[in-house]
Amino acid sequence: MRDLEIYIRDLEAGAVHCWLEGHVKQLVLDDSDVASVTKGTAIFGDAQLKVTLYPQAFGKRFTSLIIEGEQLPWNSDLECARSAWRTMDTEIRCSPGEWKEGEPAEDEKWWRLDSRGEQLVVWN
């Protein structure tokens, strides 16, 4: 199982469903309440996807979106973040891909996509 993970700032209700429905089939995701954990499913290619939203990740303003499956609509977190940013027009962050579970993340650089462009930044 592979996964994609992005962080969405100030997520609006319905925004993830609206964005994902153009990239997957049979999307079942009720993101009308973005203040609580939301789980859903979809189909991409021949594979089932699990879609999960975790509010208040990295502080109160970001929601973590994790998409898990054997086949994914994007090849990297950054590709996924670019697609989300184009549709949602809010700040999106993702890992550059070097971090491994168990390593300290305090000084880790993250991709930040917003109206200023794409930049590698320290989270805070």
Side-chain angles (χ1 to χ4, degrees):
M1 173 123 2
R2 299 173 42 216
D3 69 48
L4 298 167
E5 183 171 14
I6 63 172
Y7 296 84
I8 306 161
R9 184 176 178 144
D10 300 331
L11 179 63
E12 294 183 10
V16 172
H17 188 282
C18 184
W19 163 59
L20 280 179
E21 70 182 350
H23 299 281
V24 299
K25 295 183 223 163
Q26 299 177 27
L27 178 62
V28 177
L29 179 72
D30 180 3
D31 61 341
S32 58
D33 176 9
V34 295
S36 61
V37 173
T38 302
K39 296 180 182 247
T41 60
I43 302 291
F44 182 75
D46 298 329
Q48 172 113 6
L49 301 177
K50 285 178 30 182
V51 180
T52 310
L53 293 167
Y54 295 99
Q56 299 184 0
F58 281 102
K60 295 185 189 275
R61 298 191 73 178
F62 284 88
T63 298
S64 169
L65 166 64
I66 300 175
I67 303 171
E68 300 171 287
E70 295 299 326
Q71 297 176 322
L72 299 170
W74 300 277
N75 292 318
S76 69
D77 291 348
L78 183 56
E79 285 182 16
C80 180
R82 286 174 177 149
S83 175
W85 184 80
R86 282 192 295 272
T87 300
M88 293 186 216
D89 195 26
T90 188
E91 182 179 323
I92 308 285
R93 293 190 182 189
C94 69
S95 169
E98 295 97 30
W99 185 81
K100 302 281 187 264
E101 192 72 40
E103 290 181 357
E106 293 83 26
D107 298 323
E108 174 71 21
K109 298 270 188 178
W110 296 80
W111 281 110
R112 180 183 68 203
L113 290 74
D114 62 15
S115 59
R116 296 167 285 190
E118 295 180 19
Q119 297 175 329
L120 278 172
V121 298
V122 174
W123 190 279
N124 297 332

